[in-house]
Amino acid sequence: IHIQRVEKPREAREFHTHDYYQIYYIAKGSLTHFVGADAVRLSRGEMFLIPPGVMHRIREDADIVFYSLSFTPQVLEEISRSAGFAADFLRSLGSDPKPRVFIPGDQVLSVETLMEQLLREFEARQVAGSEMVKLYVGLLLSMFSRFCLDADASLPLPGQEDKKRFLLYCVDYIDHNFFRKITLDSIVKRAAVSRSEFCKGFRELTGHSFRDYVTMCRIRDAARRIRD
């Protein structure tokens, strides 16, 4: 098992394969994922899942931030008791990639929190750390398997792509500027939609109102500072 958070863009890669599973989850910015002759654009709240032996490559934007999670087929055997559904799903993929999976808006924060917890356990190397890592991996894979199998979650609704990207931009802006004074009116202007449409779309995307989301970001940052 290996996980890393990538914050600096790397040069475009050539097509390649590997003998392990690989998941990229986009936390900020965008990248283009090439699988064979197909190319798909991924932004925050989206991921791809590549089984072993699949030819693919990526092209990253300058402002990209993503998590890269890799694990061998042997890991599936080790976590199958606690995450049997996910293990069976990944085995059933064979060489069928999932080049783009849309994470439901109300699950984005949960996924990113779990990714951060997994990353901390992986890097800390503490007592029982390997067991904690496997537990987090099993939980994440179970969630991802559900998203892959949910037909409604695989892609945004037709005609909603532009609005979704505007809202994701606003969520990303709040995530990185919550310590500033942010008003609903100022953020609505960034979304380029009406106030009512923003409030409805924001709640559908994040599961929270604008005010609650800002407060939650500030509390989470305060908790991190207390821990540190």
Side-chain angles (χ1 to χ4, degrees):
I1 299 173
H2 184 271
I3 183 172
Q4 61 179 331
R5 177 182 168 98
V6 180
E7 299 186 7
K8 294 182 179 179
R10 298 171 290 190
E11 294 183 2
R13 298 178 176 179
E14 299 297 327
F15 277 101
H16 64 283
T17 64
H18 30 66
D19 58 0
Y20 49 83
Y21 291 88
Q22 186 175 53
I23 291 173
Y24 272 26
Y25 171 78
I26 315 304
K28 178 185 176 183
S30 302
L31 62 75
T32 305
H33 185 210
F34 300 87
V35 181
D38 298 324
V40 291
R41 188 78 168 164
L42 288 81
S43 58
R44 188 191 179 195
E46 295 173 323
M47 54 166 274
F48 69 70
L49 193 162
I50 296 294
V54 174
M55 191 76 69
H56 74 120
R57 72 180 180 91
I58 59 173
R59 186 175 66 214
E60 304 157 354
D61 291 353
D63 63 343
I64 187 72
V65 176
F66 63 88
Y67 294 89
S68 172
L69 171 62
S70 304
F71 52 95
T72 64
Q74 180 184 357
V75 170
L76 296 185
E77 303 304 322
E78 296 176 0
I79 68 172
S80 60
R81 181 171 298 179
S82 60
F85 171 80
D88 289 343
F89 171 76
L90 290 174
R91 292 192 197 100
S92 71
L93 286 180
S95 60
D96 180 27
K98 298 294 181 183
R100 183 190 188 202
V101 179
F102 177 68
I103 308 298
D106 60 351
Q107 297 295 314
V108 168
L109 279 180
S110 298
V111 169
E112 293 181 0
T113 298
L114 283 172
M115 282 287 192
E116 274 298 312
Q117 291 173 325
L118 171 57
L119 181 61
R120 285 201 298 268
E121 284 292 341
F122 179 79
E123 293 178 340
R125 308 289 183 179
Q126 294 178 334
V127 174
S130 62
E131 294 302 316
M132 292 293 292
V133 166
K134 289 176 185 177
L135 288 172
Y136 281 129
V137 168
L139 181 55
L140 280 167
L141 293 182
S142 295
M143 294 176 70
F144 293 157
S145 298
R146 176 190 292 173
F147 301 150
C148 289
L149 288 171
D150 187 346
D152 294 332
S154 60
L155 289 173
L157 294 174
Q160 297 299 311
E161 183 69 13
D162 290 337
K163 292 180 181 179
K164 169 181 170 288
R165 292 193 185 281
F166 277 128
L167 287 169
L168 283 172
Y169 166 76
C170 292
V171 172
D172 188 68
Y173 178 83
I174 294 170
D175 287 346
H176 292 85
N177 294 275
F178 57 83
F179 51 88
R180 305 179 189 275
K181 183 179 180 180
I182 304 177
T183 65
L184 178 58
D185 288 338
S186 67
I187 205 72
V188 165
K189 292 179 181 178
R190 292 178 177 273
V193 295
S194 69
R195 184 188 180 102
S196 60
E197 191 173 16
F198 173 85
C199 292
K200 179 181 178 181
F202 191 88
R203 183 177 288 277
E204 290 176 350
L205 184 66
T206 66
H208 302 277
S209 68
F210 163 76
R211 180 179 295 179
D212 288 347
Y213 188 86
V214 174
T215 301
M216 185 171 58
C217 288
R218 290 169 176 165
I219 292 174
R220 185 171 56 185
D221 180 67
R224 180 186 62 80
R225 291 175 182 273
I226 291 172
R227 284 198 307 268
D228 293 345

